[in-house]
Amino acid sequence: MIALGVCPEVPVKRLLPAFAALLLLVIPAPGRPAAAAAPGGYQVGVGIGDITGEAAEVGMLGYADPTQTTAGLASRLWARAFVVADGSGNHVAFVSTEIDFVTQAVQVEVLKRLRAKHGSTYTDQNVVLTATHTHSAPGGYSEYMLWNLTTLGFEAPVFEAIVAGIVRAVDSADADLAPGSVKIAEGNLAGANVNRSIEPFNANPAADKARFPDAVDTRMTVLRFEQGGRPVGLIDFFATHGTSMTPANHLISADNKGYAAHVIEDEVHGVDWAHRGDFVAAFAQTSAGDMSPNLRNGGAQGPTDDEFENTRIIGQLQAGKAQQLFDSATEELSGPIAARGRYVDFSGVQVGGAYTPDGQAHTTCPGALGQNFTAGAEDGPGPPIVDEGDLNTNPLLLVAGIVVNPTPAAVRACQAPKDVFLGTGSQNPPWTPQVMPLQVLRIGQLAITTAPGEFTIVAGQRVQDAVAAQLGGVTTHQILAGYANAYAGYVTTPEEYDLQHYEGAATHFGRYTQSAYAQELAKIAAALRDGQATPSAVQPPSLAQNRFSVRPGVVLDTPPLGKSFGSVVTQPAASYARGADVRADFVTGHPNNNLRDEGTFLEVQRQNGSIWQTVATDSEWQTLYRWKREYLGVSTAQITWTIPADAATGTYRIVHHGDAKGLTGTIRPFTGTSRTFTVTP
């Protein structure tokens, strides 16, 4: 989902105030030789980097609600990188990031930094940056105005955290390259997604619907990475939205896919905070456009009334099936590694009849969002202005769109039957991207196709079929990785588009958007098959002028009278049983003073003789860090630790690490420590 600049599950809901605020306001080095691979074999490497960003008072991206701002951590966010190389020097780098979507600004900067360090080894052809699509991550890291509405502009610290963390992850994976293998397994997982857009799905031809019993995509693909026979990584591909956490949540969370990664890394492979990277597990998206993890009422509600429990349930389901497939993976990928990609201007793609439902040639349109986009999706409804599928013009939205974002008549006609609300591609500069990155990558008998949108399951299948038609006999496994390298809304089939539900209204380039993706990706697949180059006639523009923010940032931190930073306001009880929640509150500074990348805001420590050993940090899902501004510059940190069922008995304490900004602007670190408490059986 994503609404105006976000995957607005709750689109224009409180959008007009955000609009008003914004309106007022190298010659590349030679590539290094590939690490030596075994004859006919691969080099594989894995890496991970912290991309959490600002933990307080920054708009979150996904539900398009400017009032949903960060206020602590339920979990840190990570970029997980996997590199595969062959003996000929060909590399592929796949990165899964726990953010709502990847922006072009992030892709461009990541590639720039990788080029500076690795020369021509990593490029826009062979580096894939994907997103898990959590709706509980900080926003503000795009150069396109629509995507920054909920943050009231560009958030440089968030952007830097994401870019630097991705680069660290790729660097680590590159440094980790060693002789190894990649194995693949495929299966089905039921009960972890539902179709939240059933009427548009049913508008598709019977042959399309027959491929998805119960209107869901239950397919799961797992890649098993080994070095010398030792498992070092896992990539899981499965379609379900990152909306287990609701619009009411203010804690940064990697949502259900992040929890699945935690289960595999921490619980199955024993990777704790101190050994992050020993085993790396990523849970990536495929065609999740109409797939929701909220199993009740057509995608409107999770399996329970507790969003944290829903995150665990859907995450655990994915983790369990992924581990089963991981354990059973025996088919080894072998053969050439290759990658092809190009940028395509989707504002006017001429689409041939081979890719359209009526067999006639058509064209895509400059980007635009329909009025029904403001209705939101089932798991993130918007204001009661219009209903999904309502094809009657809403005068209020028509006038609002004309005032803030006028759309030429030709674009309105091209976008029909969409009733245009915002002509995002018709502005100068555009409010959403038009030049989109496309890729097809090959690792032996596996083809990974990437595209910068959220495809419905039928739309995604049509694209996979188009690519497979070109790679028949070359590859036998196909994956479409969405949310890749940039973001331009939804992709529905022409038949789904006609109904103008939320997803169709958020399909940017008109009725033939999916047809254009199928055609252009098929061309790239053919070039990969034939060993031909895929030069780009266009490049994404630089919009550095849009890197502005109207948010004041941290002004001053002050402790309350009689207290100092790190003072304990609420002490733990004297004793707790396993499974209980331990809580300690501290006088703190603003967490945006120091994002503590690769660090922590808290430690749970256990006494071992004269030594205090850390058993948990804010990287663990058993801890919660809540930040609250009490008044003016006074704030508190509430730290909660849910004692694991297998926790050792003994004496414990909670430590809080913070940073405070003084009158002169100097930021100084501090530490607070709770009294001790015991854990009993």
Side-chain angles (χ1 to χ4, degrees):
M1 310 150 208
I2 280 188
L4 300 129
V6 200
C7 157
E9 255 76 27
V10 187
V12 182
K13 164 166 158 172
R14 286 171 277 278
L15 202 56
L16 294 182
F19 263 121
L22 282 178
L23 293 175
L24 290 175
L25 298 180
V26 185
I27 299 177
R32 64 167 173 75
Y42 295 149
Q43 289 268 334
V44 301
V46 299
I48 190 167
D50 187 350
I51 59 172
T52 304
E54 293 177 293
E57 299 187 318
V58 169
M60 301 174 96
L61 188 59
Y63 287 117
D65 182 356
T67 68
Q68 188 192 19
T69 55
T70 57
L73 301 176
S75 66
R76 281 197 173 266
L77 307 178
W78 302 96
R80 294 175 171 89
F82 304 79
V83 173
V84 185
D86 62 20
S88 299
N90 301 308
H91 289 64
V92 164
F94 185 95
V95 184
S96 174
T97 62
E98 293 175 335
I99 55 179
D100 191 60
F101 56 80
V102 176
T103 67
Q104 283 189 331
V106 166
Q107 186 215 26
V108 168
E109 184 62 24
V110 165
L111 292 174
K112 175 183 175 182
R113 297 188 191 185
L114 291 177
R115 183 170 62 249
K117 184 167 185 178
H118 302 281
S120 59
T121 300
Y122 299 109
T123 70
D124 56 9
Q125 302 265 312
N126 66 354
V127 174
V128 184
L129 306 180
T130 66
T132 62
H133 200 44
T134 172
H135 284 45
S136 295
Y141 52 94
S142 175
E143 289 182 341
Y144 286 93
M145 183 174 292
L146 196 63
W147 297 161
N148 290 344
L149 284 180
T150 58
T151 52
L152 301 182
F154 185 80
E155 287 295 324
V158 174
F159 176 81
E160 178 59 27
I162 293 170
V163 169
I166 291 172
V167 172
R168 282 195 301 272
V170 176
D171 285 347
S172 296
D174 181 86
D176 186 54
L177 282 169
S181 63
V182 183
K183 297 176 181 177
I184 188 170
E186 298 171 330
N188 291 277
L189 171 62
N193 56 8
V194 297
N195 196 314
R196 70 177 195 196
S197 194
I198 194 67
E199 287 184 52
F201 172 85
N202 285 333
N204 290 303
D208 285 318
K209 292 185 290 184
R211 300 178 73 169
F212 298 101
D214 300 319
V216 295
D217 187 354
T218 62
R219 295 173 296 181
M220 178 180 284
T221 300
V222 167
L223 301 182
R224 176 186 176 116
F225 292 79
E226 296 181 355
Q227 291 178 338
R230 176 178 64 90
V232 295
L234 171 158
I235 306 179
D236 175 272
F237 294 91
F238 180 75
T240 196
H241 248 79
T243 52
S244 291
M245 299 297 287
T246 70
N249 171 57
H250 290 267
L251 298 180
I252 292 174
S253 170
D255 212 274
N256 57 71
K257 288 189 176 291
Y259 188 79
H262 152 73
V263 170
I264 298 298
E265 290 176 348
D266 296 21
E267 298 182 10
V268 176
H269 291 275
V271 177
D272 60 22
W273 64 274
H275 301 91
R276 182 69 59 187
D278 283 3
F279 185 94
V280 178
F283 283 74
Q285 290 285 10
T286 55
S287 301
D290 48 0
M291 295 291 98
S292 173
N294 298 313
L295 307 181
R296 294 184 292 164
N297 299 328
Q301 293 176 290
T304 75
D305 293 331
D306 182 334
E307 60 186 342
F308 292 93
E309 183 63 16
N310 295 338
T311 298
R312 287 189 288 269
I313 289 171
I314 302 300
Q316 185 68 62
L317 286 170
Q318 292 175 80
K321 185 63 180 182
Q323 186 61 40
Q324 179 187 353
L325 293 174
F326 184 85
D327 290 340
S328 66
T330 56
E331 180 184 351
E332 187 170 334
L333 300 182
S334 62
I337 290 176
R340 295 292 186 277
R342 68 159 58 98
Y343 293 97
V344 176
D345 185 348
F346 267 73
S347 66
V349 176
Q350 300 299 314
V351 186
Y355 297 95
T356 62
D358 61 5
Q360 301 299 309
H362 294 281
T363 185
T364 59
C365 323
L369 296 172
Q371 293 187 11
N372 293 352
F373 162 82
T374 68
E378 283 70 12
D379 43 6
I385 300 175
V386 296
D387 295 324
E388 285 192 275
D390 185 353
L391 297 179
N392 296 313
T393 299
N394 182 289
L396 174 62
L397 293 179
L398 177 64
V399 172
I402 291 173
V403 170
V404 302
N405 195 282
T407 306
V411 175
R412 292 184 178 276
C414 180
Q415 289 275 352
K418 178 188 292 178
D419 212 338
V420 174
F421 169 45
L422 298 173
T424 59
S426 300
Q427 313 310 308
N428 186 20
W431 285 24
T432 53
Q434 311 291 295
V435 178
M436 310 313 301
L438 306 178
Q439 294 168 306
V440 179
L441 305 97
R442 178 187 177 188
I443 306 174
Q445 62 268 38
L446 168 67
I448 300 177
T449 301
T450 79
E454 35 196 322
F455 290 69
T456 63
I457 55 177
V458 174
Q461 187 59 55
R462 290 184 183 178
V463 169
Q464 286 184 265
D465 290 345
V467 170
Q470 301 300 323
L471 296 179
V474 176
T475 59
T476 55
H477 298 280
Q478 301 283 337
I479 292 172
L480 173 60
Y483 309 93
N485 301 316
Y487 182 77
Y490 281 78
V491 183
T492 55
T493 67
E495 295 89 342
E496 293 167 342
Y497 183 89
D498 287 345
L499 271 66
Q500 282 298 290
H501 279 232
Y502 169 74
E503 293 83 4
T507 295
H508 284 207
F509 305 112
R511 190 174 191 266
Y512 301 97
T513 298
Q514 171 261 303
S515 303
Y517 275 113
Q519 172 183 280
E520 297 305 307
L521 284 162
K523 291 179 182 177
I524 295 173
L528 183 147
R529 177 197 65 209
D530 298 337
Q532 301 297 314
T534 53
S536 296
V538 292
Q539 292 289 324
S542 173
L543 301 176
Q545 69 271 27
N546 285 348
R547 293 193 179 194
F548 67 90
S549 176
V550 299
R551 204 173 59 83
V554 182
V555 177
L556 175 69
D557 293 300
T558 57
L561 189 63
K563 300 286 186 179
S564 59
F565 292 113
S567 295
V568 183
V569 179
T570 302
Q571 292 281 7
S575 179
Y576 296 89
R578 291 168 176 156
D581 289 340
V582 182
R583 172 181 167 179
D585 295 1
F586 299 83
V587 175
T588 193
H590 202 293
N592 295 356
N593 289 325
N594 181 351
L595 306 189
R596 298 190 169 268
D597 286 337
E598 308 291 350
T600 184
F601 289 104
L602 65 92
E603 293 180 69
V604 178
Q605 299 179 338
R606 179 177 179 271
Q607 190 172 27
N608 184 1
S610 61
I611 299 174
W612 287 96
Q613 295 179 325
T614 300
V615 298
T617 68
D618 64 18
S619 296
E620 310 298 326
W621 283 71
Q622 61 197 241
T623 62
L624 293 177
Y625 164 63
R626 290 184 171 92
W627 179 87
K628 180 182 179 182
R629 183 185 294 279
E630 300 293 346
Y631 56 90
L632 300 176
V634 176
S635 61
T636 54
Q638 180 192 111
I639 295 172
T640 305
W641 177 47
T642 300
I643 304 173
D646 61 351
T649 58
T651 301
Y652 289 78
R653 68 184 185 184
I654 293 177
V655 177
H656 168 49
H657 301 292
D659 301 84
K661 188 173 186 178
L663 282 170
T664 63
T666 301
I667 297 174
R668 292 187 172 87
F670 63 85
T671 297
T673 304
S674 76
R675 72 182 182 187
T676 61
F677 58 92
T678 59
V679 171
T680 61

